[in-house]
Amino acid sequence: MRKILIAFRKNSFLIYSLIPAFLYIGFFALIIGFYLLKLSLTKYAGGDVVLSSTLYNYIKIFDDPMFNKEFSDAFRRTLIFVIVVTPLQLVTGLITAMLINKSFAGRGIVRSILLLPLAIPTIVTTSVLLILFSKGGHMTSLLMGRYSFFPKIFDYEISFISNPYTSIGLSIFGKVWRDTPISMLILLSGLQQINEEQYEAARTMGATAVQNFFYITIPLLMPSISSVLILRSIEAWKEFIFPYILAPSYPILGVLIEKYYVQLMDPGTAAMVGIVLIVCILVTSYVLTYILNKINRYLIRA
């Protein structure tokens, strides 16, 4: 108890400064969580309440074959989206962070260019991809040889948006391109905390660049890597805009929520999908934290 009081006194300013943020976030999280749970336990038909305090929306995942297939497909696409997007953002963020962490002429310009995706609104990025890859778009025209500088590859028009693989692939590409600067900034802050003397000491002992990367950079960068993986996985689970525009026929969970809430006027089912999404985010965050802690302890011992 004495140690707790001493620690509290030492960090009292930090604790008091965080209290408003915790109250703000916690208050609205409770309100939204309560209302979401209430909606998920309500059956709607045509926008009107049919039955309250019921598990109907959860039961129909298993009892309604049509909804079961729609939900299962959306969940599978979302899981694939998360599994692909999260490590890709880590890799691209790490590569770009290591690039601009070095001193070279024009580093400020390169850093500004790499941050450019953040300055472009998401809807603009998505619209450009839609124009490029939709049927009759520039990419189809390019592959059909309509531009003199590129050879003809296909004799027919291709709609990348109408294909389940290419449409989700475009959504993944857009998401990674748009959010890589965020990962880059988090990892760059971690790289700048690593003392250059550790690399110099390792080089004097004959360590190669690869050994430095795996035995110095990665272990000391684990807090930043953990932040990137957890934050980016959360963002990937709740992604909406890219799949909504680029893969409208192949919805993920975020798009499925919009369909039931707006188009079908069924807030109960939409809220139930939202609850499932929250559970997936919590489980993923816990699993990632557990695995990353194990890896961190292994790297420290090594």
Side-chain angles (χ1 to χ4, degrees):
M1 188 66 181
R2 181 184 175 85
K3 291 182 179 179
I4 295 175
L5 289 173
I6 293 172
F8 180 82
R9 291 194 190 98
K10 287 183 178 179
N11 301 284
S12 58
F13 176 77
L14 177 62
I15 294 171
Y16 286 133
S17 63
L18 288 175
I19 286 176
F22 278 116
L23 291 175
Y24 174 78
I25 295 172
F27 176 72
F28 284 103
L30 286 174
I31 291 177
I32 293 170
F34 175 78
Y35 190 67
L36 191 65
L37 183 61
K38 181 181 177 182
L39 278 178
S40 71
L41 297 174
T42 306
K43 180 181 178 181
Y44 286 83
D48 299 323
V49 176
V50 175
L51 189 62
S52 299
S53 302
T54 176
L55 294 174
Y56 169 81
N57 295 318
Y58 294 92
I59 294 172
K60 76 176 185 178
I61 294 179
F62 309 99
D63 287 353
D64 187 335
M66 186 177 295
F67 179 75
N68 177 274
K69 185 179 187 311
E70 185 178 37
F71 178 83
S72 300
D73 289 344
F75 182 83
R76 175 175 50 82
R77 294 188 200 103
T78 310
L79 187 61
I80 293 172
F81 192 87
V82 173
I83 290 173
V84 176
V85 164
T86 305
L88 271 180
Q89 289 192 356
L90 174 64
V91 172
T92 54
L94 183 58
I95 292 172
T96 51
M98 293 183 70
L99 172 66
I100 62 175
N101 190 45
K102 302 294 182 182
S103 296
F104 58 88
R107 184 173 68 167
I109 297 174
V110 174
R111 182 179 299 183
S112 300
I113 293 173
L114 292 175
L115 289 174
L116 189 61
L118 286 180
I120 301 175
T122 307
I123 189 66
V124 174
T125 302
T126 316
S127 300
V128 169
L129 289 174
L130 182 65
I131 293 170
L132 286 174
F133 290 95
S134 59
K135 191 173 183 179
H138 295 292
M139 188 56 64
T140 298
S141 299
L142 183 71
L143 295 175
M144 292 182 67
R146 291 175 181 170
Y147 299 118
S148 58
F149 61 86
F150 197 83
K152 182 177 182 180
I153 298 177
F154 294 105
D155 295 322
Y156 51 88
E157 286 195 346
I158 301 171
S159 178
F160 294 91
I161 309 301
S162 302
N163 184 282
Y165 302 104
T166 54
S167 59
I168 295 295
L170 283 173
S171 302
I172 291 171
F173 171 79
K175 181 65 176 176
V176 172
W177 184 83
R178 170 65 174 73
D179 290 352
T180 286
I182 301 174
S183 302
M184 179 191 73
L185 291 174
I186 296 173
L187 293 167
L188 180 61
S189 66
L191 286 171
Q192 291 178 342
Q193 300 301 315
I194 301 176
N195 195 328
E196 187 65 28
E197 293 179 356
Q198 298 187 57
Y199 292 109
E200 293 176 1
R203 280 193 290 269
T204 58
M205 297 175 67
T208 63
V210 175
Q211 289 173 325
N212 283 342
F213 178 75
F214 283 106
Y215 291 103
I216 297 177
T217 304
I218 294 298
L220 295 177
L221 205 58
M222 279 306 294
S224 298
I225 291 174
S226 301
S227 299
V228 168
L229 288 176
I230 293 172
L231 292 175
R232 294 299 93 204
S233 66
I234 292 172
E235 281 294 316
W237 271 113
K238 63 188 186 69
E239 178 57 30
F240 171 75
I241 189 68
F242 282 105
Y244 179 72
I245 294 179
L246 298 175
S249 301
Y250 312 98
I252 63 175
L253 291 179
V255 179
L256 197 65
I257 292 173
E258 187 276 340
K259 175 183 176 180
Y260 276 90
Y261 191 86
V262 178
Q263 300 178 31
L264 301 181
M265 294 184 293
D266 187 355
T269 301
M272 180 273 295
V273 178
I275 293 290
V276 172
L277 199 55
I278 291 173
V279 171
C280 290
I281 289 172
L282 293 175
V283 170
T284 303
S285 299
Y286 174 79
V287 171
L288 280 175
T289 302
Y290 177 80
I291 293 173
L292 289 168
N293 285 338
K294 287 283 188 182
I295 293 173
N296 193 35
R297 283 196 291 268
Y298 171 78
L299 290 173
I300 291 173
R301 287 199 302 269

